[in-house]
Amino acid sequence: MACVYSMRSCLFWMMLVSLTGLAITGCATSVSTTTDKPRLAQQSVLSTLWMDRAGEYRALCHQAFNMAKLQVDRRLSYHRTLEKPLAVIVDIDETVLSNVPYFSQLIDKGEVFPSGWKVWMQMSTAQAIPGALEFLKYARFRGVEVFYISNRSMNEGLTATINNLVKMDFPFADQRHLLLKSTSGNKQPRRDRVEQTHEVILLIGDNLNDFSLIFSDKPVVQRNNAVDMMSSEFGKRFIILPNPIYGDWEGALYDYQWGTSSAQKLKVRQQLYSQ
């Protein structure tokens, strides 16, 4: 009888421990779910601070636009026949306008993009990236048109974006020179549209997809290989701005599954860091 009682007692305690463990696990899962976004947002603190406070960031931006100015001068020095007017194509976000205050708000609120993006965009208060305004005004002075190709939404962002660019005194801030996203985020058809009427001498952006379709939707290794293959273009036809907060470089980490949960993104980041 004692043996039977002992076995029943053991089974009882085993079941109790098992149920308790399940309860604890369930609570842990629930807590984790509520903290995944804040943890993800917190991982952007240092990169956001760098873009907001570091002199090195400003220096890199000025360096990029100084190089762009040199390339405009170089191209104009041997441009003899004007079969087409000259143009430069620029991205907007983190290329000519800074959204650092928006990303700071996300960190404070424990949220991630696109939370609050429409509200921020409609405010039209983004400030100019260091060196951007001076360069684009210089391009206009030298007779070079500027086209803004951005994946801001055409329906939701056109008026607000024009207003923001006008506030900052950017040249060519009008509907004809803004080519925003209507259906597809692929920028190549919009670049092709500009090249039908203009000779594009420079493309400026913070994302490889701002330059060529060759970088689009490629895994990390292939993106890096494509950069090496086209290395001679950077600093000449392609001018890239630093942006450690977001971009297709991050999308490549998740195989461009942008709907990936915050929990899974944290897991992928940790796994890649540990490799």
mmCIF file of all heavy atoms in Angstrom, residues 48-96:
data_model
loop_
_atom_site.group_PDB
_atom_site.id
_atom_site.type_symbol
_atom_site.label_atom_id
_atom_site.label_comp_id
_atom_site.label_asym_id
_atom_site.label_seq_id
_atom_site.Cartn_x
_atom_site.Cartn_y
_atom_site.Cartn_z
ATOM 1 N N THR A 48 20.064 55.624 -33.783
ATOM 2 C CA THR A 48 19.309 56.874 -33.839
ATOM 3 C C THR A 48 20.099 58.004 -33.198
ATOM 4 O O THR A 48 20.156 59.128 -33.726
ATOM 5 C CB THR A 48 17.946 56.710 -33.136
ATOM 6 O OG1 THR A 48 17.229 55.626 -33.737
ATOM 7 C CG2 THR A 48 17.113 57.973 -33.255
ATOM 8 N N LEU A 49 20.727 57.719 -32.064
ATOM 9 C CA LEU A 49 21.584 58.718 -31.419
ATOM 10 C C LEU A 49 22.737 59.127 -32.330
ATOM 11 O O LEU A 49 23.105 60.305 -32.405
ATOM 12 C CB LEU A 49 22.148 58.161 -30.105
ATOM 13 C CG LEU A 49 21.278 58.300 -28.855
ATOM 14 C CD1 LEU A 49 21.926 57.552 -27.693
ATOM 15 C CD2 LEU A 49 21.064 59.762 -28.503
ATOM 16 N N TRP A 50 23.306 58.169 -33.015
ATOM 17 C CA TRP A 50 24.433 58.452 -33.915
ATOM 18 C C TRP A 50 24.016 59.423 -35.010
ATOM 19 O O TRP A 50 24.704 60.400 -35.292
ATOM 20 C CB TRP A 50 24.961 57.156 -34.510
ATOM 21 C CG TRP A 50 26.182 57.336 -35.350
ATOM 22 C CD1 TRP A 50 27.458 57.567 -34.932
ATOM 23 C CD2 TRP A 50 26.246 57.302 -36.792
ATOM 24 N NE1 TRP A 50 28.308 57.674 -36.003
ATOM 25 C CE2 TRP A 50 27.597 57.517 -37.156
ATOM 26 C CE3 TRP A 50 25.302 57.097 -37.791
ATOM 27 C CZ2 TRP A 50 28.011 57.537 -38.481
ATOM 28 C CZ3 TRP A 50 25.712 57.115 -39.116
ATOM 29 C CH2 TRP A 50 27.062 57.334 -39.451
ATOM 30 N N MET A 51 22.856 59.157 -35.612
ATOM 31 C CA MET A 51 22.400 60.047 -36.682
ATOM 32 C C MET A 51 21.981 61.409 -36.143
ATOM 33 O O MET A 51 22.038 62.411 -36.852
ATOM 34 C CB MET A 51 21.239 59.398 -37.452
ATOM 35 C CG MET A 51 21.658 58.177 -38.247
ATOM 36 S SD MET A 51 20.303 57.418 -39.177
ATOM 37 C CE MET A 51 20.086 58.606 -40.507
ATOM 38 N N ASP A 52 21.582 61.459 -34.890
ATOM 39 C CA ASP A 52 21.113 62.711 -34.306
ATOM 40 C C ASP A 52 22.251 63.554 -33.732
ATOM 41 O O ASP A 52 22.217 64.784 -33.808
ATOM 42 C CB ASP A 52 20.103 62.406 -33.190
ATOM 43 C CG ASP A 52 19.447 63.663 -32.652
ATOM 44 O OD1 ASP A 52 19.134 64.560 -33.450
ATOM 45 O OD2 ASP A 52 19.244 63.750 -31.421
ATOM 46 N N ARG A 53 23.289 62.895 -33.184
ATOM 47 C CA ARG A 53 24.291 63.627 -32.410
ATOM 48 C C ARG A 53 25.718 63.559 -32.946
ATOM 49 O O ARG A 53 26.537 64.423 -32.623
ATOM 50 C CB ARG A 53 24.300 63.100 -30.965
ATOM 51 C CG ARG A 53 22.950 63.167 -30.240
ATOM 52 C CD ARG A 53 22.479 64.597 -30.049
ATOM 53 N NE ARG A 53 21.201 64.666 -29.381
ATOM 54 C CZ ARG A 53 21.036 64.745 -28.060
ATOM 55 N NH1 ARG A 53 22.107 64.750 -27.272
ATOM 56 N NH2 ARG A 53 19.835 64.814 -27.545
ATOM 57 N N ALA A 54 26.039 62.555 -33.727
ATOM 58 C CA ALA A 54 27.447 62.339 -34.082
ATOM 59 C C ALA A 54 27.917 63.296 -35.180
ATOM 60 O O ALA A 54 27.296 63.402 -36.248
ATOM 61 C CB ALA A 54 27.670 60.897 -34.536
ATOM 62 N N GLY A 55 29.035 63.960 -34.908
ATOM 63 C CA GLY A 55 29.666 64.770 -35.939
ATOM 64 C C GLY A 55 30.120 63.932 -37.112
ATOM 65 O O GLY A 55 30.146 64.411 -38.256
ATOM 66 N N GLU A 56 30.446 62.673 -36.830
ATOM 67 C CA GLU A 56 30.875 61.772 -37.903
ATOM 68 C C GLU A 56 29.759 61.551 -38.924
ATOM 69 O O GLU A 56 30.018 61.446 -40.127
ATOM 70 C CB GLU A 56 31.327 60.425 -37.318
ATOM 71 C CG GLU A 56 32.640 60.465 -36.574
ATOM 72 C CD GLU A 56 32.506 60.919 -35.132
ATOM 73 O OE1 GLU A 56 31.388 61.372 -34.733
ATOM 74 O OE2 GLU A 56 33.490 60.838 -34.389
ATOM 75 N N TYR A 57 28.522 61.478 -38.436
ATOM 76 C CA TYR A 57 27.395 61.317 -39.357
ATOM 77 C C TYR A 57 27.285 62.546 -40.262
ATOM 78 O O TYR A 57 27.145 62.438 -41.482
ATOM 79 C CB TYR A 57 26.093 61.111 -38.591
ATOM 80 C CG TYR A 57 24.867 61.242 -39.468
ATOM 81 C CD1 TYR A 57 24.571 60.265 -40.420
ATOM 82 C CD2 TYR A 57 24.018 62.344 -39.370
ATOM 83 C CE1 TYR A 57 23.467 60.387 -41.249
ATOM 84 C CE2 TYR A 57 22.918 62.472 -40.195
ATOM 85 C CZ TYR A 57 22.644 61.496 -41.131
ATOM 86 O OH TYR A 57 21.554 61.620 -41.959
ATOM 87 N N ARG A 58 27.334 63.727 -39.658
ATOM 88 C CA ARG A 58 27.246 64.960 -40.446
ATOM 89 C C ARG A 58 28.395 65.039 -41.449
ATOM 90 O O ARG A 58 28.206 65.464 -42.597
ATOM 91 C CB ARG A 58 27.264 66.177 -39.519
ATOM 92 C CG ARG A 58 26.107 66.246 -38.550
ATOM 93 C CD ARG A 58 26.139 67.525 -37.718
ATOM 94 N NE ARG A 58 25.879 68.693 -38.552
ATOM 95 C CZ ARG A 58 24.652 69.122 -38.863
ATOM 96 N NH1 ARG A 58 23.592 68.483 -38.413
ATOM 97 N NH2 ARG A 58 24.502 70.195 -39.620
ATOM 98 N N ALA A 59 29.586 64.625 -41.003
ATOM 99 C CA ALA A 59 30.750 64.669 -41.899
ATOM 100 C C ALA A 59 30.539 63.769 -43.107
ATOM 101 O O ALA A 59 30.869 64.145 -44.244
ATOM 102 C CB ALA A 59 32.011 64.265 -41.137
ATOM 103 N N LEU A 60 29.984 62.575 -42.885
ATOM 104 C CA LEU A 60 29.740 61.655 -43.997
ATOM 105 C C LEU A 60 28.710 62.224 -44.973
ATOM 106 O O LEU A 60 28.831 62.051 -46.191
ATOM 107 C CB LEU A 60 29.270 60.303 -43.465
ATOM 108 C CG LEU A 60 30.352 59.430 -42.821
ATOM 109 C CD1 LEU A 60 29.721 58.255 -42.081
ATOM 110 C CD2 LEU A 60 31.324 58.926 -43.880
ATOM 111 N N CYS A 61 27.691 62.893 -44.444
ATOM 112 C CA CYS A 61 26.682 63.515 -45.319
ATOM 113 C C CYS A 61 27.310 64.627 -46.153
ATOM 114 O O CYS A 61 27.108 64.685 -47.373
ATOM 115 C CB CYS A 61 25.534 64.071 -44.476
ATOM 116 S SG CYS A 61 24.542 62.804 -43.653
ATOM 117 N N HIS A 62 28.074 65.503 -45.507
ATOM 118 C CA HIS A 62 28.744 66.573 -46.254
ATOM 119 C C HIS A 62 29.703 65.989 -47.290
ATOM 120 O O HIS A 62 29.797 66.491 -48.413
ATOM 121 C CB HIS A 62 29.500 67.489 -45.293
ATOM 122 C CG HIS A 62 28.619 68.422 -44.517
ATOM 123 N ND1 HIS A 62 27.798 69.337 -45.137
ATOM 124 C CD2 HIS A 62 28.439 68.575 -43.175
ATOM 125 C CE1 HIS A 62 27.140 70.038 -44.212
ATOM 126 N NE2 HIS A 62 27.509 69.590 -43.014
ATOM 127 N N GLN A 63 30.405 64.932 -46.898
ATOM 128 C CA GLN A 63 31.335 64.287 -47.832
ATOM 129 C C GLN A 63 30.596 63.769 -49.058
ATOM 130 O O GLN A 63 31.045 63.948 -50.197
ATOM 131 C CB GLN A 63 32.044 63.137 -47.122
ATOM 132 C CG GLN A 63 32.979 62.330 -48.000
ATOM 133 C CD GLN A 63 33.714 61.279 -47.190
ATOM 134 O OE1 GLN A 63 34.809 61.516 -46.706
ATOM 135 N NE2 GLN A 63 33.104 60.118 -47.035
ATOM 136 N N ALA A 64 29.436 63.138 -48.834
ATOM 137 C CA ALA A 64 28.653 62.596 -49.948
ATOM 138 C C ALA A 64 28.223 63.696 -50.909
ATOM 139 O O ALA A 64 28.355 63.565 -52.129
ATOM 140 C CB ALA A 64 27.429 61.852 -49.407
ATOM 141 N N PHE A 65 27.735 64.805 -50.373
ATOM 142 C CA PHE A 65 27.252 65.877 -51.246
ATOM 143 C C PHE A 65 28.391 66.685 -51.855
ATOM 144 O O PHE A 65 28.239 67.238 -52.952
ATOM 145 C CB PHE A 65 26.261 66.763 -50.493
ATOM 146 C CG PHE A 65 24.936 66.087 -50.271
ATOM 147 C CD1 PHE A 65 24.522 65.715 -49.000
ATOM 148 C CD2 PHE A 65 24.115 65.787 -51.345
ATOM 149 C CE1 PHE A 65 23.306 65.076 -48.803
ATOM 150 C CE2 PHE A 65 22.890 65.135 -51.163
ATOM 151 C CZ PHE A 65 22.490 64.783 -49.884
ATOM 152 N N ASN A 66 29.531 66.744 -51.182
ATOM 153 C CA ASN A 66 30.711 67.346 -51.812
ATOM 154 C C ASN A 66 31.154 66.530 -53.022
ATOM 155 O O ASN A 66 31.524 67.079 -54.073
ATOM 156 C CB ASN A 66 31.859 67.461 -50.808
ATOM 157 C CG ASN A 66 31.643 68.565 -49.790
ATOM 158 O OD1 ASN A 66 30.859 69.476 -50.015
ATOM 159 N ND2 ASN A 66 32.340 68.483 -48.667
ATOM 160 N N MET A 67 31.115 65.195 -52.868
ATOM 161 C CA MET A 67 31.454 64.321 -53.993
ATOM 162 C C MET A 67 30.451 64.496 -55.124
ATOM 163 O O MET A 67 30.809 64.498 -56.304
ATOM 164 C CB MET A 67 31.489 62.873 -53.530
ATOM 165 C CG MET A 67 32.632 62.553 -52.567
ATOM 166 S SD MET A 67 32.494 60.896 -51.855
ATOM 167 C CE MET A 67 32.715 59.893 -53.313
ATOM 168 N N ALA A 68 29.182 64.652 -54.762
ATOM 169 C CA ALA A 68 28.152 64.855 -55.781
ATOM 170 C C ALA A 68 28.405 66.142 -56.556
ATOM 171 O O ALA A 68 28.268 66.184 -57.791
ATOM 172 C CB ALA A 68 26.772 64.897 -55.110
ATOM 173 N N LYS A 69 28.796 67.195 -55.841
ATOM 174 C CA LYS A 69 29.102 68.468 -56.503
ATOM 175 C C LYS A 69 30.266 68.306 -57.476
ATOM 176 O O LYS A 69 30.227 68.814 -58.611
ATOM 177 C CB LYS A 69 29.434 69.527 -55.465
ATOM 178 C CG LYS A 69 29.749 70.893 -56.044
ATOM 179 C CD LYS A 69 30.066 71.902 -54.940
ATOM 180 C CE LYS A 69 30.456 73.253 -55.525
ATOM 181 N NZ LYS A 69 30.807 74.228 -54.465
ATOM 182 N N LEU A 70 31.302 67.589 -57.055
ATOM 183 C CA LEU A 70 32.452 67.351 -57.931
ATOM 184 C C LEU A 70 32.039 66.604 -59.196
ATOM 185 O O LEU A 70 32.545 66.891 -60.294
ATOM 186 C CB LEU A 70 33.531 66.571 -57.187
ATOM 187 C CG LEU A 70 34.282 67.312 -56.079
ATOM 188 C CD1 LEU A 70 35.193 66.348 -55.314
ATOM 189 C CD2 LEU A 70 35.099 68.471 -56.666
ATOM 190 N N GLN A 71 31.129 65.649 -59.039
ATOM 191 C CA GLN A 71 30.694 64.871 -60.200
ATOM 192 C C GLN A 71 29.856 65.722 -61.161
ATOM 193 O O GLN A 71 29.933 65.557 -62.376
ATOM 194 C CB GLN A 71 29.908 63.638 -59.754
ATOM 195 C CG GLN A 71 30.758 62.590 -59.056
ATOM 196 C CD GLN A 71 31.966 62.181 -59.890
ATOM 197 O OE1 GLN A 71 31.852 61.916 -61.091
ATOM 198 N NE2 GLN A 71 33.133 62.151 -59.260
ATOM 199 N N VAL A 72 29.058 66.625 -60.615
ATOM 200 C CA VAL A 72 28.311 67.553 -61.479
ATOM 201 C C VAL A 72 29.282 68.424 -62.260
ATOM 202 O O VAL A 72 29.160 68.602 -63.485
ATOM 203 C CB VAL A 72 27.352 68.421 -60.640
ATOM 204 C CG1 VAL A 72 26.823 69.597 -61.472
ATOM 205 C CG2 VAL A 72 26.187 67.586 -60.130
ATOM 206 N N ASP A 73 30.283 68.971 -61.566
ATOM 207 C CA ASP A 73 31.278 69.814 -62.241
ATOM 208 C C ASP A 73 32.032 69.024 -63.307
ATOM 209 O O ASP A 73 32.282 69.526 -64.411
ATOM 210 C CB ASP A 73 32.271 70.366 -61.214
ATOM 211 C CG ASP A 73 31.637 71.404 -60.300
ATOM 212 O OD1 ASP A 73 30.567 71.923 -60.648
ATOM 213 O OD2 ASP A 73 32.215 71.672 -59.234
ATOM 214 N N ARG A 74 32.404 67.804 -62.963
ATOM 215 C CA ARG A 74 33.156 66.971 -63.913
ATOM 216 C C ARG A 74 32.315 66.697 -65.152
ATOM 217 O O ARG A 74 32.804 66.807 -66.276
ATOM 218 C CB ARG A 74 33.542 65.649 -63.245
ATOM 219 C CG ARG A 74 34.382 64.720 -64.126
ATOM 220 C CD ARG A 74 34.628 63.384 -63.439
ATOM 221 N NE ARG A 74 33.396 62.632 -63.300
ATOM 222 C CZ ARG A 74 32.882 61.839 -64.247
ATOM 223 N NH1 ARG A 74 33.495 61.730 -65.418
ATOM 224 N NH2 ARG A 74 31.771 61.183 -64.029
ATOM 225 N N ARG A 75 31.023 66.357 -64.942
ATOM 226 C CA ARG A 75 30.162 66.038 -66.081
ATOM 227 C C ARG A 75 29.935 67.270 -66.959
ATOM 228 O O ARG A 75 29.947 67.191 -68.191
ATOM 229 C CB ARG A 75 28.822 65.495 -65.580
ATOM 230 C CG ARG A 75 27.914 65.003 -66.695
ATOM 231 C CD ARG A 75 28.536 63.781 -67.373
ATOM 232 N NE ARG A 75 27.744 63.374 -68.527
ATOM 233 C CZ ARG A 75 27.882 63.877 -69.739
ATOM 234 N NH1 ARG A 75 28.763 64.854 -69.971
ATOM 235 N NH2 ARG A 75 27.147 63.429 -70.735
ATOM 236 N N LEU A 76 29.753 68.420 -66.338
ATOM 237 C CA LEU A 76 29.517 69.642 -67.109
ATOM 238 C C LEU A 76 30.756 70.096 -67.865
ATOM 239 O O LEU A 76 30.658 70.764 -68.897
ATOM 240 C CB LEU A 76 29.039 70.761 -66.179
ATOM 241 C CG LEU A 76 27.608 70.621 -65.662
ATOM 242 C CD1 LEU A 76 27.315 71.668 -64.595
ATOM 243 C CD2 LEU A 76 26.606 70.745 -66.809
ATOM 244 N N SER A 77 31.924 69.714 -67.364
ATOM 245 C CA SER A 77 33.164 70.154 -68.007
ATOM 246 C C SER A 77 33.340 69.552 -69.393
ATOM 247 O O SER A 77 34.043 70.114 -70.228
ATOM 248 C CB SER A 77 34.370 69.792 -67.127
ATOM 249 O OG SER A 77 34.568 68.382 -67.094
ATOM 250 N N TYR A 78 32.731 68.394 -69.661
ATOM 251 C CA TYR A 78 32.873 67.817 -71.003
ATOM 252 C C TYR A 78 31.526 67.603 -71.682
ATOM 253 O O TYR A 78 31.434 66.933 -72.708
ATOM 254 C CB TYR A 78 33.650 66.493 -70.954
ATOM 255 C CG TYR A 78 32.975 65.361 -70.220
ATOM 256 C CD1 TYR A 78 32.022 64.564 -70.845
ATOM 257 C CD2 TYR A 78 33.313 65.065 -68.897
ATOM 258 C CE1 TYR A 78 31.414 63.516 -70.172
ATOM 259 C CE2 TYR A 78 32.715 64.016 -68.224
ATOM 260 C CZ TYR A 78 31.764 63.251 -68.865
ATOM 261 O OH TYR A 78 31.159 62.220 -68.184
ATOM 262 N N HIS A 79 30.470 68.176 -71.129
ATOM 263 C CA HIS A 79 29.156 68.052 -71.755
ATOM 264 C C HIS A 79 29.023 69.131 -72.825
ATOM 265 O O HIS A 79 28.769 70.289 -72.522
ATOM 266 C CB HIS A 79 28.044 68.217 -70.712
ATOM 267 C CG HIS A 79 26.693 67.803 -71.228
ATOM 268 N ND1 HIS A 79 26.252 66.506 -71.187
ATOM 269 C CD2 HIS A 79 25.700 68.521 -71.805
ATOM 270 C CE1 HIS A 79 25.035 66.435 -71.703
ATOM 271 N NE2 HIS A 79 24.678 67.647 -72.085
ATOM 272 N N ARG A 80 29.204 68.742 -74.060
ATOM 273 C CA ARG A 80 29.230 69.719 -75.144
ATOM 274 C C ARG A 80 27.865 69.836 -75.848
ATOM 275 O O ARG A 80 27.378 70.921 -76.087
ATOM 276 C CB ARG A 80 30.296 69.330 -76.165
ATOM 277 C CG ARG A 80 31.703 69.353 -75.581
ATOM 278 C CD ARG A 80 32.147 70.782 -75.282
ATOM 279 N NE ARG A 80 33.503 70.823 -74.752
ATOM 280 C CZ ARG A 80 33.792 70.890 -73.463
ATOM 281 N NH1 ARG A 80 32.818 70.920 -72.572
ATOM 282 N NH2 ARG A 80 35.051 70.930 -73.049
ATOM 283 N N THR A 81 27.277 68.704 -76.176
ATOM 284 C CA THR A 81 25.999 68.744 -76.884
ATOM 285 C C THR A 81 24.873 68.402 -75.928
ATOM 286 O O THR A 81 24.929 67.409 -75.214
ATOM 287 C CB THR A 81 25.997 67.718 -78.044
ATOM 288 O OG1 THR A 81 26.236 66.412 -77.517
ATOM 289 C CG2 THR A 81 27.065 68.069 -79.057
ATOM 290 N N LEU A 82 23.857 69.228 -75.920
ATOM 291 C CA LEU A 82 22.732 69.035 -75.009
ATOM 292 C C LEU A 82 21.580 68.342 -75.733
ATOM 293 O O LEU A 82 20.565 68.955 -76.063
ATOM 294 C CB LEU A 82 22.286 70.376 -74.438
ATOM 295 C CG LEU A 82 23.260 71.052 -73.474
ATOM 296 C CD1 LEU A 82 22.783 72.452 -73.140
ATOM 297 C CD2 LEU A 82 23.411 70.229 -72.207
ATOM 298 N N GLU A 83 21.744 67.056 -76.020
ATOM 299 C CA GLU A 83 20.657 66.306 -76.636
ATOM 300 C C GLU A 83 19.493 66.169 -75.659
ATOM 301 O O GLU A 83 18.331 66.203 -76.047
ATOM 302 C CB GLU A 83 21.154 64.921 -77.067
ATOM 303 C CG GLU A 83 22.213 64.968 -78.161
ATOM 304 C CD GLU A 83 22.693 63.585 -78.539
ATOM 305 O OE1 GLU A 83 22.138 62.609 -78.003
ATOM 306 O OE2 GLU A 83 23.607 63.490 -79.368
ATOM 307 N N LYS A 84 19.826 66.000 -74.398
ATOM 308 C CA LYS A 84 18.823 65.946 -73.336
ATOM 309 C C LYS A 84 19.293 66.851 -72.198
ATOM 310 O O LYS A 84 20.490 66.970 -71.954
ATOM 311 C CB LYS A 84 18.659 64.518 -72.805
ATOM 312 C CG LYS A 84 18.061 63.511 -73.757
ATOM 313 C CD LYS A 84 17.943 62.161 -73.065
ATOM 314 C CE LYS A 84 17.345 61.105 -73.966
ATOM 315 N NZ LYS A 84 17.253 59.780 -73.263
ATOM 316 N N PRO A 85 18.363 67.452 -71.456
ATOM 317 C CA PRO A 85 18.775 68.198 -70.274
ATOM 318 C C PRO A 85 19.335 67.245 -69.215
ATOM 319 O O PRO A 85 18.947 66.068 -69.147
ATOM 320 C CB PRO A 85 17.479 68.859 -69.800
ATOM 321 C CG PRO A 85 16.384 68.066 -70.414
ATOM 322 C CD PRO A 85 16.922 67.529 -71.708
ATOM 323 N N LEU A 86 20.249 67.751 -68.407
ATOM 324 C CA LEU A 86 20.864 66.926 -67.368
ATOM 325 C C LEU A 86 19.983 66.875 -66.123
ATOM 326 O O LEU A 86 19.240 67.815 -65.820
ATOM 327 C CB LEU A 86 22.237 67.480 -67.002
ATOM 328 C CG LEU A 86 23.272 67.556 -68.116
ATOM 329 C CD1 LEU A 86 24.601 68.070 -67.561
ATOM 330 C CD2 LEU A 86 23.463 66.197 -68.784
ATOM 331 N N ALA A 87 20.090 65.766 -65.387
ATOM 332 C CA ALA A 87 19.290 65.615 -64.174
ATOM 333 C C ALA A 87 20.035 64.777 -63.149
ATOM 334 O O ALA A 87 20.894 63.960 -63.489
ATOM 335 C CB ALA A 87 17.948 64.963 -64.494
ATOM 336 N N VAL A 88 19.699 65.012 -61.890
ATOM 337 C CA VAL A 88 20.103 64.109 -60.816
ATOM 338 C C VAL A 88 18.828 63.562 -60.184
ATOM 339 O O VAL A 88 17.808 64.257 -60.123
ATOM 340 C CB VAL A 88 20.978 64.799 -59.741
ATOM 341 C CG1 VAL A 88 22.273 65.297 -60.341
ATOM 342 C CG2 VAL A 88 20.226 65.928 -59.054
ATOM 343 N N ILE A 89 18.889 62.315 -59.741
ATOM 344 C CA ILE A 89 17.764 61.681 -59.066
ATOM 345 C C ILE A 89 18.153 61.464 -57.606
ATOM 346 O O ILE A 89 19.225 60.926 -57.323
ATOM 347 C CB ILE A 89 17.400 60.332 -59.721
ATOM 348 C CG1 ILE A 89 16.832 60.553 -61.120
ATOM 349 C CG2 ILE A 89 16.396 59.570 -58.859
ATOM 350 C CD1 ILE A 89 16.544 59.259 -61.876
ATOM 351 N N VAL A 90 17.282 61.906 -56.711
ATOM 352 C CA VAL A 90 17.550 61.717 -55.285
ATOM 353 C C VAL A 90 16.379 61.014 -54.613
ATOM 354 O O VAL A 90 15.217 61.204 -54.988
ATOM 355 C CB VAL A 90 17.814 63.062 -54.569
ATOM 356 C CG1 VAL A 90 19.066 63.737 -55.111
ATOM 357 C CG2 VAL A 90 16.615 63.999 -54.672
ATOM 358 N N ASP A 91 16.695 60.195 -53.638
ATOM 359 C CA ASP A 91 15.699 59.659 -52.722
ATOM 360 C C ASP A 91 15.314 60.799 -51.773
ATOM 361 O O ASP A 91 15.932 61.876 -51.789
ATOM 362 C CB ASP A 91 16.316 58.476 -51.965
ATOM 363 C CG ASP A 91 15.390 57.904 -50.908
ATOM 364 O OD1 ASP A 91 14.211 57.654 -51.222
ATOM 365 O OD2 ASP A 91 15.844 57.727 -49.766
ATOM 366 N N ILE A 92 14.325 60.589 -50.927
ATOM 367 C CA ILE A 92 13.921 61.641 -49.987
ATOM 368 C C ILE A 92 14.312 61.306 -48.548
ATOM 369 O O ILE A 92 15.125 62.000 -47.944
ATOM 370 C CB ILE A 92 12.401 61.915 -50.084
ATOM 371 C CG1 ILE A 92 12.072 62.543 -51.450
ATOM 372 C CG2 ILE A 92 11.941 62.838 -48.952
ATOM 373 C CD1 ILE A 92 10.601 62.799 -51.682
ATOM 374 N N ASP A 93 13.743 60.243 -47.992
ATOM 375 C CA ASP A 93 13.935 59.949 -46.571
ATOM 376 C C ASP A 93 15.343 59.460 -46.278
ATOM 377 O O ASP A 93 15.827 58.502 -46.884
ATOM 378 C CB ASP A 93 12.897 58.921 -46.104
ATOM 379 C CG ASP A 93 11.482 59.475 -46.237
ATOM 380 O OD1 ASP A 93 11.211 60.520 -45.629
ATOM 381 O OD2 ASP A 93 10.663 58.870 -46.957
ATOM 382 N N GLU A 94 15.988 60.140 -45.350
ATOM 383 C CA GLU A 94 17.376 59.890 -44.951
ATOM 384 C C GLU A 94 18.362 60.140 -46.093
ATOM 385 O O GLU A 94 19.508 59.713 -46.047
ATOM 386 C CB GLU A 94 17.554 58.471 -44.377
ATOM 387 C CG GLU A 94 17.182 58.349 -42.933
ATOM 388 C CD GLU A 94 15.782 58.877 -42.590
ATOM 389 O OE1 GLU A 94 14.768 58.280 -42.987
ATOM 390 O OE2 GLU A 94 15.719 59.913 -41.896
ATOM 391 N N THR A 95 17.891 60.835 -47.122
ATOM 392 C CA THR A 95 18.767 61.296 -48.207
ATOM 393 C C THR A 95 18.735 62.816 -48.295
ATOM 394 O O THR A 95 19.785 63.453 -48.325
ATOM 395 C CB THR A 95 18.364 60.673 -49.556
ATOM 396 O OG1 THR A 95 18.498 59.247 -49.470
ATOM 397 C CG2 THR A 95 19.253 61.187 -50.683
ATOM 398 N N VAL A 96 17.534 63.392 -48.327
ATOM 399 C CA VAL A 96 17.439 64.858 -48.278
ATOM 400 C C VAL A 96 16.640 65.335 -47.078
ATOM 401 O O VAL A 96 16.787 66.475 -46.640
ATOM 402 C CB VAL A 96 16.858 65.447 -49.586
ATOM 403 C CG1 VAL A 96 17.749 65.106 -50.768
ATOM 404 C CG2 VAL A 96 15.436 64.990 -49.827
#
